[in-house]
Amino acid sequence: MKRVGFLLGIVLVLLMLSACGSVDKLMGPPQPKIEANGEAVTFYQSSYCWGNTCADYAGPEMMLRDKEANQAAANATITVDFKGKEPTELSLSIFRDGIPSEVEIVDNSFQAPEAEGIYYYGLSAAWLRNKETRITEGSSSYVFALEVKGTE
């Protein structure tokens, strides 16, 4: 009986935090859904500041060096979706030898490179409460790797 009361208490606290908007701060930054060729792309949480917590991670190439790259066809359309909590700012960089280059995102999608090879990406998102004053709810980065092979 004590266990039921304890669990009910936890549920009530979570409901109250949810009503106050604080549950997001406990859960961390929103996570994207990234797809290539209709298949989910494995990504990894990178540096972020959310609520009262900030974490700093290594760059994409270092974070991903022991991870398997996701397969994508040359010029495939890659989509990024943050269901329910779209960021106010979204940017994407591709890394080669530690040097980032900006990748254009249009309507939450971008094209995979044409040349075969392994590509390392850093996706950055920010949730601004006020764009003029740059007051932010939080920001987050995510990293993933694509291995481009063949054509679509």
Side-chain angles (χ1 to χ4, degrees):
M1 194 63 159
K2 287 183 182 180
R3 184 178 177 145
V4 170
F6 175 75
L7 291 174
L8 185 59
I10 289 175
V11 169
L12 288 174
V13 168
L14 288 174
L15 286 173
M16 288 188 301
L17 288 173
S18 177
C20 297
S22 298
V23 75
D24 283 344
K25 292 178 183 174
L26 292 176
M27 296 171 62
Q31 300 298 295
K33 179 180 179 184
I34 304 171
E35 290 187 344
N37 307 323
E39 300 283 323
V41 170
T42 302
F43 66 89
Y44 300 90
Q45 178 70 62
S46 189
S47 300
Y48 69 92
C49 281
W50 197 261
N52 294 326
T53 304
C54 290
D56 197 16
Y57 290 81
E61 291 172 307
M62 183 172 278
M63 278 185 71
L64 298 167
R65 70 176 172 220
D66 297 328
K67 310 285 188 212
E68 191 171 324
N70 298 272
Q71 301 287 314
N75 296 314
T77 299
I78 315 299
T79 59
V80 177
D81 187 21
F82 286 86
K83 289 251 186 256
K85 191 146 184 96
E86 290 292 325
T88 49
E89 293 181 351
L90 190 63
S91 64
L92 181 68
S93 295
I94 191 167
F95 290 78
R96 287 288 204 164
D97 300 321
I99 300 170
S101 299
E102 194 72 20
V103 175
E104 184 178 21
I105 297 180
V106 177
D107 295 328
N108 289 354
S109 66
F110 66 97
Q111 300 305 123
E114 190 172 327
E116 290 190 351
I118 296 179
Y119 297 86
Y120 300 97
Y121 290 89
L123 177 68
S124 297
W127 290 264
L128 299 175
R129 291 185 178 150
N130 185 318
K131 284 186 178 185
E132 287 180 25
T133 60
R134 306 292 300 162
I135 295 174
T136 181
E137 182 176 347
S139 61
S140 183
S141 296
Y142 314 88
V143 297
F144 59 96
L146 293 178
E147 181 176 10
V148 173
K149 289 186 170 186
T151 58
E152 243 182 327

